[in-house]
Structure formats: C-alpha cells, structure tokens
Amino acid sequence: MVDKKIGLDEFNDFLMHLHAPERNAHINTLREPGKPGSVKYKDKGSGIHTDVAIEKLKEYGVDYIDGQAIPFNEKGQALMDTFKDVQKFIQGTLNIY
C-alpha cells in the first residue's frame, strides 16, 4: 500500500464502499416485500446506500457496473490491485486451516 501511496483510512473507506452494493443486494433478498424494513432498508442494509457507494467508488477511480468493479484511472487500478493482494493474503490464511 505504501508504494502505491494508499493510506489505511482511504483503503478502509474504499473497501466499505466496494462491498456495500453486494451486501445491500444480499440484505434485500432477506426482507420480504411488505414486511417491516423492506422499504426503509432497501439498498442500504449495509449502512451505505448502493447509489452513494457507487458514486464514492467513482471518486476513487472505479466504476461499479453489473456487480463488477472496473478501474478507470491509475488510482482506481492501484486500489483494485491492493484489494486483490489482500484477497490473496486472506485466501492463503484460510488455506492454512
């Protein structure tokens, strides 16, 4: 992260916004239409509304299209590369167990 000039707070914020649309979509499936919370929490069950998350990702240089995060500038590419590195690390840890 240091070599890519990405701070921990920035990366944490990026990860929260990257995960929000996916999490919101899942939470939407858990709420039956017409039941309490089905409208109130639609697309914001993660705590970040999907539209807000997608706009913030654009500020980071990443388009979110059909569930795919696509970097469109150097910053976005650096963030996505770092995210992929973290995923590899986590998978390596899981493989130990």
Side-chain angles (χ1 to χ4, degrees), residues 27-85:
I27 291 171
N28 287 345
T29 67
L30 302 177
R31 301 200 181 273
E32 295 179 41
K35 296 287 182 173
S38 63
V39 174
K40 181 178 179 182
Y41 296 108
K42 181 165 176 41
D43 294 332
K44 58 182 173 182
S46 70
I48 301 171
H49 194 283
T50 298
D51 293 340
V52 172
I54 291 170
E55 284 303 311
K56 185 65 174 182
L57 289 172
K58 286 181 183 177
E59 291 177 24
Y60 283 124
V62 175
D63 276 329
Y64 192 86
I65 303 168
D66 296 327
Q68 298 292 319
I70 304 162
F72 62 80
N73 63 23
E74 286 184 36
K75 183 66 166 186
Q77 188 64 57
L79 286 162
M80 289 302 297
D81 288 346
T82 302
F83 171 62
K84 290 174 186 173
D85 290 343

